[in-house]
Amino acid sequence: MSKKIKKIGVMTSGGDSPGMNAAVRSVVRTCAYHKLECVGIYRGYEGLIEGAFEPMNARSVRDIINRGGTILKSARSKEFRTKEGRQKAYDNLIKHEIDAMVLIGGDGTFTGGLIFEEEFNFPCIGIPGTIDNDIRGTDRTLGYDTALNTAVEAIDKIRDTASSHNRLFFIEVMGRDVGHIALNAGVGGGAEEILIPEANMGIERLVESLTRSGASGKTSSLVVVAEGDKTGKSVFELKDYVDNNLEGYDVRVAVLGHLQRGGSPSCYDRVLASRMGVKAVESLMEGKSSYMVGTQHDKMVLYPLEQAIKSGSDINQELIRVSEIMTT
């Protein structure tokens, strides 16, 4: 890529995550610092096709670093999956003289950006924004730390009720394909059992474990379940099975759901977003593209988009062992 970058577009796409606004702010202010123009693209790839662009400057992003969600909005776009839709998007970028894009999102966002860059040779840099922490090439994704803190806070409050009424709670957290939130929130929240997609415990073994807990004198228990866990068809099926096969517990279910996506981002996510935004803009200025900005051992790195979207991040095996010891 030899063309000098003068104007950068920034978008958020896919599921929202705390820290996206802080990342948008960082991209816009880094552009202002380097005397580049910046354009906000509303509603992700759908807005790219519709031409929903708005110039942004340092004042445009004041007072958003602490806000959850995304001021640029997000949307799914079926049309962008077609060559005709992507052609419309490219034509809009050329019409508005935009030279490169920063894409804030997850696997689907990066996949779209990679295809778009391959077809039109249009420079793109990705910033990983997803609470699931399921992107390879970075130790942390934007929103993950906030979602963990939200989940642990909820678990702490549910434990108060569980212990007051001798109840067993199944607490479902997000994690359709990976168990990072469940594993870390379960350890941090002192759960008696943690169910994740990467380690199928089996429903009979779960009942045996809870039986041992009851025999040891525990009068209440918390089981943290990733939504993608395969122990049962759903967390409600788990509840019914335990109700029918384990005496002594009043079994309840709490699904945290989208509660984990919202709220003000943690300090960690705000700082991470600020660092990633600077790295993304300055990497484009250096002629780099087809990369995702990540953090490895607290150092900012560039990781090829193609590798980032091919496989998710690995579960922490050492933490699984810790969880087994802690639930003894």
Side-chain angles (χ1 to χ4, degrees), residues 32-154:
Y33 178 84
H34 289 291
K35 304 298 189 294
L36 304 177
E37 294 182 69
C38 190
V39 174
I41 302 167
Y42 285 80
R43 300 188 305 281
Y45 289 120
E46 191 70 11
L48 195 59
I49 292 171
E50 296 171 353
F53 302 163
E54 183 174 318
M56 304 183 78
N57 56 39
R59 302 283 70 79
S60 302
V61 291
R62 66 181 184 274
D63 299 331
I64 70 167
I65 192 171
N66 61 318
R67 290 172 57 182
T70 164
I71 63 167
L72 293 180
K73 310 296 183 183
S74 185
R76 308 291 182 183
S77 178
K78 291 183 179 179
E79 190 175 2
F80 191 78
R81 297 179 183 179
T82 68
K83 182 64 179 292
E84 294 76 17
R86 294 191 293 273
Q87 183 65 56
K88 289 181 184 178
Y90 178 73
D91 292 342
N92 280 330
L93 289 168
I94 298 305
K95 176 182 177 182
H96 289 83
E97 299 180 325
I98 297 173
D99 303 311
M101 287 193 296
V102 176
L103 313 173
I104 306 171
D107 185 84
T109 302
F110 294 164
T111 299
L114 187 63
I115 293 171
F116 188 76
E117 180 162 353
E118 290 174 348
E119 287 181 345
F120 300 103
N121 193 31
F122 194 90
C124 296
I125 290 281
I127 291 178
T130 168
I131 67 168
D132 290 328
N133 202 42
D134 58 349
I135 302 293
R136 187 172 294 278
T138 183
D139 294 335
R140 291 289 184 271
T141 58
L142 288 183
Y144 174 61
D145 183 73
T146 305
L148 269 184
N149 289 325
T150 298
V152 169
E153 182 179 357

